[in-house]
Amino acid sequence: MAARRPRIASEHESDDDSYEVLDLTEYARRHHWWNRVFGRNSGPIVEKYSVATQIVMGGVTGWCAGFLFQKVGKLAATAVGGGFLLLQIASHSGYVQVDWKRVEKDVNKAKKQLKKRANKAAPEINTLIEESTEFIKQNIVVSSGFVGGFLLGLAS
């Protein structure tokens, strides 16, 4: 299917010659939808592998990361929850005497220190976010496959 787009006519051409034929399939090949959304650089991976290969690569690595994240998260939650449970049981049984006011004071002190450090690290975090965003823009197909695989890995 061909479409017509206006072209600037020179002084020697008539009004009938002021349009040229535009092949939409060639135009679509040269101008991917993500070029308009994410910029001209679609990244080096896009040129090396087919879209299906990129999605599979991203999906497999995403699934592995999600699966490991799920297992490590469960282990960490079990350890922290089990520790608090044992602390409560020991406290109620009289084996351990917990000074909860001191715990609260120390937690508030730690919160203040974290806020100060977070404000100092803000430029570094912004740089990391910008670099990550640029990588995702350049590798949108692999990135979308990774996100889908990651969510599947979390669910499995």
Side-chain angles (χ1 to χ4, degrees):
M1 174 177 215
R4 295 172 66 92
R5 69 176 174 178
R7 183 170 54 103
I8 299 173
S10 67
E11 295 177 4
H12 303 294
E13 294 177 339
S14 66
D15 287 338
D16 294 335
D17 295 329
S18 63
Y19 291 96
E20 67 178 306
V21 175
L22 175 65
D23 185 5
L24 289 181
T25 56
E26 185 62 31
Y27 181 81
R29 242 183 243 127
R30 285 186 280 131
H31 303 286
H32 297 289
W33 64 269
W34 57 80
N35 284 350
R36 289 191 305 272
V37 176
F38 299 106
R40 292 279 177 218
N41 294 343
S42 56
I45 291 178
V46 174
E47 288 112 22
K48 292 181 183 176
Y49 300 104
S50 70
V51 173
T53 304
Q54 293 176 59
I55 291 173
V56 168
M57 286 176 12
V60 168
T61 56
W63 183 86
C64 291
F67 187 77
L68 289 174
F69 189 80
Q70 174 202 33
K71 295 299 179 187
V72 170
K74 280 184 180 179
L75 181 66
T78 301
V80 171
F84 281 126
L85 180 66
L86 289 175
L87 183 62
Q88 285 294 337
I89 290 172
S91 177
H92 269 333
S93 300
Y95 290 111
V96 176
Q97 200 66 16
V98 179
D99 186 0
W100 289 109
K101 296 218 184 269
R102 185 172 176 190
V103 170
E104 183 180 358
K105 184 179 99 178
D106 289 345
V107 167
N108 288 335
K109 183 179 175 183
K111 280 183 186 179
K112 288 178 185 176
Q113 288 178 350
L114 283 174
K115 283 184 181 179
K116 286 180 184 177
R117 289 183 185 171
N119 291 337
K120 289 179 183 176
E124 296 167 355
I125 292 172
N126 287 338
T127 303
L128 179 67
I129 290 171
E130 288 172 8
E131 289 174 358
S132 301
T133 304
E134 187 63 29
F135 177 81
I136 290 170
K137 286 179 183 178
Q138 290 179 352
N139 302 295
I140 190 70
V141 177
V142 174
S143 300
S144 60
F146 181 86
V147 169
F150 185 81
L151 294 174
L152 285 174
L154 281 178
S156 61

